[in-house]
Amino acid sequence: MRLSRYFLPTLKETPAEAQIVSHRLMLRAGMIRQASAGIYSWLPLGYKVLRNIERIVREEQDRAGAQELLMPTIQSAELWRESGRYEDYGKEMLRIRDRHDREMLYGPTNEELITEIFRAGARSYRDVPRILYHIQWKFRDEVRPRFGVMRGREFLMKDAYSFDLDYESAIRAYRIMFVSYLRTFARMGLKAVPMEAETGPIGGNLSHEFVVLADTGETELFCHRDLIDFDVMDRDIDYEGDLKPIVDEWTGQYARTDDMHDQATFEKEVPEDKRVHRRGIEVGHIFYFGTKYSEPLNAHVSTPDGESVPVHMGSYGIGVSRLVGGIIEASHDDNGIVWPDAVAPFQVGLVNLKPSDAACSQACDELYRKLRDAGIEVLYDDTHESPGAKFAQMDLIGLPWQLVVGPRGLKAGTVELKRRATGERHELSGDSALSRLAA
């Protein structure tokens, strides 16, 4: 994509309403624009990142055996009355009436609807286990929406729901999602630590939240240092096998957020040189809640003995849009965003330092063509801005690589390749730069 044709309304000044790093940088980098309090339009650059994150989430859910469907944003109030949550949920739920005066709501979550879908399509023990998921927009009417996409009212979320015959099978589904989450966040370049958590309005008695380490995070976390060094990507995960040893490894050490933290237990269980007290951002939450929804909503299956029993359920959420802000909070510097390769909107920023120079433009056009032919997504700055402005904008939007072409380098037969994350620069031939980028 040529920058001269790309809709990228970057800002030089930080908007006054932006209180945290990710909000400031997303506005300045032209990723989002506020439509109303806590509700944002996603502009082309931001939308590409959002879709890259969504793609990774989807790939890992599919890999774990979950099946994708799509539920509507608007739900019937009757289902929520069946579960007993309609009156209990609070003012965060946006309640509406349609033209026939039927009570509806804009879904803040989907436990009721997915349970109704399952009960209508499952009858026997042969219909379990199942894990169903969707990626859909949700709305929670926060009293004070703030921090941009980190705590907005409308947000994109992945919800998965497991259905099993009994407790033992349900815990196996819980472990599948636990490991799937570890892989999902690791693929995005994030260090996410699972923490014991409260279940909140979802209910249940087993829950973990996945917290990304970030100095600017809103959550305090306390954990054993070894958890930060664990790497799930070096394992050959078999979702058909026994995942208990992997989950036990990650849950066997102390790891709690401030609302669950006990200082005496922390000091007793964790050696002083292994104690980590950091800040972080919650990006995922998993729950086992047994028959909390299947009993009131009558989601039963027959056992091999012919007995009708309510299915055991769990729910597993990932804040897809929240992750965009979370990644920025965890990966930025004074000059702007530093995107991990897997989620970056473009892999390379091709910078033409002097578009008025025919040789320079010819070389850039040729590199642009070769990059695209190699399947490398590239943003080509062919504008007539000053070199300083070009460099500042490229640093701000945070593409992993910058390929800089100028008249002086061309005379020497070289271009400059810069790695955004480290600032490392290399002077090399155009073909060598292409080979390195394609590797």
Side-chain angles (χ1 to χ4, degrees):
M1 174 61 68
R2 290 177 179 268
L3 185 56
S4 60
R5 301 174 186 171
Y6 196 59
F7 185 64
L8 187 64
T10 56
L11 304 174
K12 292 183 180 179
E13 302 297 328
T14 299
E17 73 270 19
Q19 300 176 26
I20 63 171
V21 169
S22 59
H23 194 193
R24 291 198 296 267
L25 290 177
M26 289 182 76
L27 289 171
R28 287 195 56 217
M31 296 177 63
I32 56 173
R33 181 173 177 81
Q34 182 170 299
S36 61
I39 300 175
Y40 292 88
S41 297
W42 289 79
L43 307 185
L45 193 78
Y47 191 61
K48 281 179 69 68
V49 176
L50 187 69
R51 287 305 180 212
N52 285 338
I53 291 171
E54 183 180 341
R55 171 183 50 78
I56 292 172
V57 170
R58 179 174 283 113
E59 288 172 357
E60 289 302 320
Q61 289 292 287
D62 293 348
R63 187 176 190 271
Q67 302 170 56
E68 186 172 11
L69 48 73
L70 184 62
M71 290 176 277
T73 57
I74 304 299
Q75 302 178 30
S76 168
E78 288 307 310
L79 273 176
W80 286 68
R81 285 200 170 94
E82 282 189 60
S83 73
R85 283 208 301 173
Y86 186 69
E87 301 299 338
D88 295 341
Y89 202 87
K91 292 184 178 181
E92 287 77 21
M93 181 189 289
L94 181 63
R95 295 165 169 84
I96 56 181
R97 289 179 181 269
D98 67 12
R99 67 191 300 165
H100 300 290
D101 206 35
R102 289 177 296 223
E103 291 181 287
M104 312 290 285
L105 57 98
Y106 194 129
T109 183
N110 282 78
E111 281 77 17
E112 283 80 3
L113 187 53
I114 194 67
T115 304
E116 190 279 331
I117 290 170
F118 182 81
R119 79 181 179 189
R123 296 286 183 271
S124 160
Y125 68 91
R126 296 183 180 89
D127 297 318
V128 291
R130 296 288 188 272
I131 301 176
L132 305 175
Y133 80 97
H134 79 156
I135 300 174
Q136 179 62 288
W137 292 96
K138 300 191 181 303
F139 187 89
R140 294 177 189 167
D141 199 3
E142 296 276 356
V143 62
R144 287 186 297 274
R146 60 193 189 277
F147 305 152
V149 302
M150 295 290 290
R151 186 168 290 178
R153 292 194 295 165
E154 185 182 57
F155 52 94
L156 187 64
M157 189 169 179
K158 187 280 302 181
D159 306 76
Y161 301 92
S162 59
F163 301 87
D164 288 277
L165 188 62
D166 51 32
Y167 173 81
E168 290 74 17
S169 301
I171 295 305
R172 184 177 185 281
Y174 188 93
R175 290 171 182 151
I176 288 172
M177 286 292 103
F178 188 103
V179 175
S180 176
Y181 274 36
L182 292 173
R183 283 185 50 87
T184 298
F185 300 127
R187 281 189 58 189
M188 296 177 193
L190 295 171
K191 174 59 69 174
V193 181
M195 302 273 167
E196 291 182 40
E198 296 189 10
T199 55
I202 301 296
N205 57 11
L206 177 61
S207 175
H208 285 87
E209 62 185 25
F210 290 75
V211 179
V212 170
L213 300 179
D215 293 337
T216 53
E218 60 185 352
T219 299
E220 275 191 282
L221 62 90
F222 303 81
C223 71
H224 195 291
R225 184 172 300 279
D226 288 354
L227 289 171
I228 298 174
D229 298 328
F230 287 166
D231 182 9
V232 72
M233 299 305 288
D234 66 357
R235 313 287 183 89
D236 183 16
I237 302 297
D238 177 12
Y239 286 111
E240 298 295 327
D242 182 11
L243 298 176
K244 185 177 185 299
I246 297 175
V247 174
D248 286 350
E249 183 179 13
W250 285 84
T251 58
Q253 304 282 10
Y254 188 97
R256 298 180 189 175
T257 55
D258 49 354
D259 58 347
M260 297 283 286
H261 173 62
D262 180 81
Q263 186 64 26
T265 304
F266 185 49
E267 293 177 358
K268 178 181 178 181
E269 294 185 1
V270 183
E272 186 173 359
D273 63 335
K274 293 285 189 177
R275 294 174 197 158
V276 174
H277 178 198
R278 294 276 301 274
R279 302 199 70 83
I281 299 164
E282 180 193 342
V283 291
H285 208 152
I286 63 176
F287 306 84
Y288 161 73
F289 43 68
T291 60
K292 175 180 171 65
Y293 297 95
S294 58
E295 286 199 66
L297 292 169
N298 197 30
H300 286 63
V301 294
S302 62
T303 69
D305 297 329
E307 181 185 2
S308 178
V309 297
V311 292
H312 286 246
M313 295 174 58
S315 73
Y316 315 91
I318 289 178
V320 177
S321 54
R322 181 180 173 85
L323 267 166
V324 180
I327 290 171
I328 294 172
E329 293 288 336
S331 185
H332 68 273
D333 60 21
D334 292 341
N335 295 320
I337 303 165
V338 182
W339 289 118
D341 291 57
V343 301
F346 298 92
Q347 290 302 303
V348 184
L350 174 61
V351 181
N352 185 344
L353 291 182
K354 196 172 183 181
S356 60
D357 184 282
C360 199
S361 289
Q362 182 179 352
C364 283
D365 289 348
E366 183 68 12
L367 285 169
Y368 181 52
R369 181 186 64 78
K370 289 180 177 180
L371 285 165
R372 297 178 72 190
D373 288 347
I376 299 170
E377 286 198 289
V378 54
L379 182 62
Y380 173 17
D381 187 346
D382 58 344
T383 68
H384 290 269
E385 296 290 337
S386 69
K390 289 172 179 277
F391 292 144
Q393 186 173 55
M394 281 295 170
D395 281 350
L396 172 63
I397 65 175
L399 307 184
W401 294 96
Q402 296 173 20
L403 184 57
V404 183
V405 181
R408 183 180 302 175
L410 283 179
K411 289 180 180 178
T414 63
V415 296
E416 182 181 88
L417 186 62
K418 174 187 171 182
R419 181 65 168 166
R420 175 68 178 90
T422 63
E424 184 180 0
R425 301 169 186 265
H426 299 278
E427 299 282 344
L428 64 174
S429 69
D431 286 342
S432 296
L434 287 169
S435 296
R436 179 167 297 193
L437 291 168

